[in-house]
Every structure is written in structure tokens, then in C-alpha cells.
Amino acid sequence: MKVISIVNTKGGVGKSTLTCNLAVAAAQDNKNVLIIDGDGKQASSLAFRALREKDDITAISITTPTINKDIKKFSDFDIIFIDVGGRDSTISRSAIMAAAEGLLLIPVLPSNYDIWATEDTFKLLDEARAFIDIKAYAVFNQVLPNTNIKIVKEAKLALEEMSLEYNVPLLDQYLYSRVDYKSSVGEGKGVIEYNSKSKAALEVINLYEEIKLKLKEN
């Protein structure tokens, strides 16, 4: 069993979209997949599962700060994705602790404001690491395809500087802001099912493969 906790205390960074698309990629990789939705208000991952016709992903809700303890009950699953709300909470902290069983994935928007706001999540990780070893990685999400390259490079440098301080490397694969992400979720599908030849599908596949390598390294 491997756990991938997708956490950022800043809202609007695409945690649920990332969770659901990676879960679909894992299911297509013949993994037994569980999504734990820890967001009691929006429950976006649960809503995605309710729309999904295929019965290849299990989704449950845990909205108490016991996720890191409860995951032991789900050892029959190959991969568990944990999606929590965008705020500092005991649930977010529990999800970070649970990542000791795999890795923590922190989605970040490529702007200085968002990078500065993400430092709060890095600090929570730092606190958790005082008790347990947690591998963590950042990933640029919702990058605008036509964004000035200079802006993205500046954001990357800013994030890498912070990443070095907190030992949270930036993954090579970025996810871009594409219509397919929004269109597919309304059908309970990942982008790799919705349009397998799209740029979005290739991004998700590459990101999933990169994460698999990181899990093996851990």
C-alpha cells in the first residue's frame, strides 16, 4: 500500500482535479485505488466518484483528524489518494502525517503570490517531520499554456529556493490549464479517458509515471 496525500492549505490550486486524474491513471495501471476525501464542505472527489460509471475506484469520506491512523484499515488497496480542503486544519495535518506511507504532493500555481502562500504548507510539513520521515514534492499546476516563459522561470526559481529550504523538490512534469480537465470531470472521467491523445492526457500520464518512480525510490 502506498499513500499519496495531496495537500496545500491554500485553496484553488486544483487538488481535487489532480487527485481524480491521478486516481484514474492508477486504475488504468491496474492498481486497486482508494480516494479518501477529507473535505467535508466541497467533497469534490466524492462527487467525481458518484458521476463515474466505471467501478474501478473506491472513494470514501473521512472528515476527522484520524486519516493517518485510519489508512491502516485499507491495506488491501495498492494506492490511496488523500484529498483535503484548502485550509490549515487538523485534517490537513493528519493527511500530511499519512504521507509517511508514500509521499506528499503539494500542487502550486506558478505565481509568486501562490508560492509565498504555499510556505504555510511547507511549515506544516516541517512540523510533522519532527515526528516522522515524510517525502514531499511540489508540482506546478494550472500553468497557463501561453504564459510568458520568463514568468514561469521566475516562479520556478522562487519555488526552488523555498523547496531547497524545506526539502520539497519540484517535479519535472507540470500540469497546464486546459479545457479537458474541466470537461472530463463533469463526466466522471479523467483526461486520459476523455481524450487519450490530448496534451492534458500526456501531462497526467507523465506525472503519474514520475510519481511512481518517486514511490519506488522511497
Side-chain angles (χ1 to χ4, degrees), residues 51-102:
L51 287 171
R52 187 168 178 78
E53 292 184 4
K54 288 186 178 180
D55 194 24
D56 56 352
I57 295 173
T58 302
I60 63 172
S61 174
I62 299 179
T63 56
T64 56
T66 58
I67 296 174
N68 58 310
K69 299 177 182 178
D70 293 339
I71 55 171
K72 297 174 183 177
K73 304 174 185 176
F74 308 113
S75 57
D76 289 344
F77 289 92
D78 299 315
I79 299 183
I80 299 175
F81 294 93
I82 303 174
D83 177 22
V84 294
R87 52 195 168 275
D88 181 2
S89 67
T90 53
I91 299 173
S92 294
R93 292 167 184 258
S94 180
I96 290 173
M97 294 291 284
E101 299 294 333

Side-chain angles (χ1 to χ4, degrees), residues 189-218:
K189 295 180 179 179
V191 289
I192 59 178
E193 301 167 306
Y194 184 76
N195 186 351
S196 62
K197 297 181 179 180
S198 67
K199 291 180 178 179
L202 181 60
E203 291 162 12
V204 169
I205 291 170
N206 288 342
L207 180 61
Y208 174 70
E209 291 299 326
E210 187 174 3
I211 290 171
K212 278 178 64 178
L213 287 175
K214 297 302 181 184
L215 287 170
K216 288 180 180 179
E217 290 173 4
N218 294 345

Side-chain angles (χ1 to χ4, degrees), residues 19-182:
T19 297
C20 294
N21 276 280
L22 287 175
V24 170
Q28 292 211 340
D29 191 29
N30 296 316
K31 305 298 183 185
N32 191 10
V33 181
L34 172 67
I35 296 176
I36 296 177
D37 195 323
D39 189 345
K41 292 185 177 180
Q42 294 187 357
S44 299
S45 290
L46 282 181
F48 171 83
R49 177 62 188 92
L51 287 171
R52 187 168 178 78
E53 292 184 4
K54 288 186 178 180
D55 194 24
D56 56 352
I57 295 173
T58 302
I60 63 172
S61 174
I62 299 179
T63 56
T64 56
T66 58
I67 296 174
N68 58 310
K69 299 177 182 178
D70 293 339
I71 55 171
K72 297 174 183 177
K73 304 174 185 176
F74 308 113
S75 57
D76 289 344
F77 289 92
D78 299 315
I79 299 183
I80 299 175
F81 294 93
I82 303 174
D83 177 22
V84 294
R87 52 195 168 275
D88 181 2
S89 67
T90 53
I91 299 173
S92 294
R93 292 167 184 258
S94 180
I96 290 173
M97 294 291 284
E101 299 294 333
L103 61 82
L104 175 67
L105 191 61
I106 304 174
V108 186
L109 302 190
S111 77
N112 285 329
Y113 290 115
D114 287 278
I115 291 167
W116 296 334
T118 298
E119 188 169 14
D120 290 340
T121 307
F122 287 178
K123 288 178 179 178
L124 290 182
L125 170 62
D126 225 24
E127 292 175 11
R129 280 174 167 168
F131 302 97
I132 193 168
D133 182 39
I134 301 171
K135 305 296 183 183
Y137 300 90
V139 57
F140 268 147
N141 196 23
Q142 299 179 8
V143 180
L144 295 175
N146 297 321
T147 300
N148 187 297
I149 295 177
K150 182 181 178 181
I151 295 175
V152 176
K153 283 185 176 180
E154 289 176 351
K156 181 181 179 183
L157 286 173
L159 181 58
E160 285 179 338
E161 183 177 339
M162 190 183 297
S163 297
L164 185 62
E165 179 182 353
Y166 290 95
N167 189 22
V168 184
L170 175 65
L171 294 178
D172 293 329
Q173 180 62 56
Y174 302 170
L175 294 188
Y176 289 77
S177 179
R178 303 191 190 279
V179 174
D180 281 351
Y181 287 107
K182 295 181 180 179

